[in-house]
Amino acid sequence: MEKKKQSALSKLMDYAGGHKYFTYASLVLAAISAIVALVPFYEIWRMLKDVLAVRPHFENATSIKQYGWLAVGFALLAMIFYIAALMCSHKVAFRVQANMRLKMMEHIMKLLLGFVESEGSGKIRKVVTESSAATETFLAHNLPDKAVSYATPVGLLVMMLAFDWRLGLASLIPAALAFVLMGTLMMGPKMAEDMKQYQNALEAMSSEAVEYVRGVPVLKTFGHISTYRHFDEGSICGRITDDRRGCTFPYGFDHGDAATS
């Protein structure tokens, strides 16, 4: 029987351990904050309704102050819920990031030196530091925002249908059009391929930058004239083997420069 593929979130939860429940708490709190944040708009609608009901005798609208304070109170309550959601999400995000780095360093310690040399220390450093740090952004910020993005349209739809079902149905047309445009322009296969190329280029450039900086003392010691050719190309394949000396220079300088020494 084929084993079910584990999702990316479930893999991250494996690193969270007992802290994974903070992730679920942050999603619930973020969704509650999104619903509560809509209540002030309802209170503002009640204020306008009272004002229009007594016109032109506006002095008879005595409940405006009460509705105003309710709107402020619910707005503050929504902020409190969202702050609590961020506290929970950050707690689990930092734990996942720390555990991932510990696991990666334990694995790197068991690797052969030839693998580290072939991949480049810059690439490995980027995976350990930047790639693990990207999980913090996803867990601490993107997940709560995703819960808010799901809860807010549902709450708005319920409110609009409760006020005027015709206006609620009409408002679904631009919302559906926006989802279609976002799905085709921002989340399609072309965008995924562009992001893949961007990440690969960033990884290669980071690796070459680290190797170049590490090689600067060698270049100065032996009087070589350095070049930014490999760093400019962002290629980790720019490694030079000097057959005369039988050694490899994993630094960003020209073979012609090395041969003139």
Side-chain angles (χ1 to χ4, degrees):
M1 184 176 180
E2 187 178 354
K3 186 178 180 180
K4 186 178 180 181
K5 186 177 180 180
Q6 193 177 14
S7 64
L9 181 59
S10 62
K11 291 180 181 179
L12 291 177
M13 292 299 99
D14 291 340
Y15 291 101
H19 286 68
K20 63 181 179 181
Y21 300 105
F22 286 100
T23 300
Y24 308 136
S26 68
L27 294 177
V28 174
L29 291 173
I32 294 175
S33 71
I35 299 300
V36 175
L38 298 176
V39 179
F41 296 99
Y42 171 71
E43 298 299 336
I44 293 174
W45 174 79
R46 293 176 68 185
M47 293 170 61
L48 295 175
K49 182 180 179 181
D50 281 6
V51 170
L52 295 177
V54 298
R55 64 179 182 178
H57 306 287
F58 298 112
E59 64 276 3
N60 294 331
T62 58
S63 301
I64 296 180
K65 185 176 181 180
Q66 176 185 354
Y67 297 151
W69 281 113
L70 285 174
V72 173
F74 279 106
L76 294 177
L77 185 61
M79 292 178 60
I80 293 174
F81 274 113
Y82 191 68
I83 292 174
L86 290 181
M87 291 176 64
C88 293
S89 62
H90 277 79
K91 187 175 182 64
V92 66
F94 290 140
R95 177 55 62 94
V96 169
Q97 183 179 351
N99 288 341
M100 286 186 68
R101 289 181 176 179
L102 288 174
K103 292 291 185 181
M104 282 189 288
M105 292 309 300
E106 291 177 359
H107 180 68
I108 291 173
M109 293 297 293
K110 300 176 183 178
L111 295 176
L112 298 176
L113 291 178
F115 176 82
V116 178
E117 177 65 22
S118 63
E119 293 295 323
S121 59
K123 181 179 180 180
I124 296 177
R125 180 197 61 83
K126 180 181 181 297
V127 172
V128 174
T129 58
E130 298 181 18
S131 298
S132 61
T135 61
E136 185 270 334
T137 303
F138 174 72
L139 292 174
H141 299 279
N142 294 348
L143 274 184
D145 291 342
K146 193 174 183 179
V148 171
S149 66
Y150 284 146
T152 300
V154 175
L156 282 175
L157 180 61
V158 172
M159 288 182 62
M160 287 185 293
L161 291 177
F163 293 150
D164 191 337
W165 65 271
R166 292 164 296 184
L167 180 61
L169 292 178
S171 64
L172 291 178
I173 298 176
L177 182 61
F179 277 112
V180 172
L181 292 176
M182 289 182 62
T184 54
L185 299 179
M186 298 183 63
M187 296 181 292
K190 185 178 183 304
M191 178 60 68
E193 182 63 26
D194 292 342
M195 288 301 299
K196 181 180 179 180
Q197 294 180 2
Y198 168 76
Q199 292 295 335
N200 291 338
L202 187 65
E203 183 179 273
M205 188 172 66
S206 175
S207 177
E208 277 301 315
V210 172
E211 296 295 341
Y212 182 84
V213 172
R214 289 177 57 197
V216 168
V218 178
L219 299 176
K220 291 183 177 180
T221 301
F222 293 97
H224 295 304
I225 302 174
S226 62
T227 175
Y228 284 95
R229 179 170 60 86
H230 295 298
F231 176 68
D232 183 52
E233 294 175 356
S235 172
I236 62 174
C237 299
R239 306 191 187 287
I240 309 158
T241 301
D242 193 329
D243 295 330
R244 295 177 302 134
R245 300 179 182 178
C247 58
T248 300
F249 297 90
Y251 308 111
F253 60 90
D254 251 341
H255 186 270
D257 295 334
T260 58
S261 60

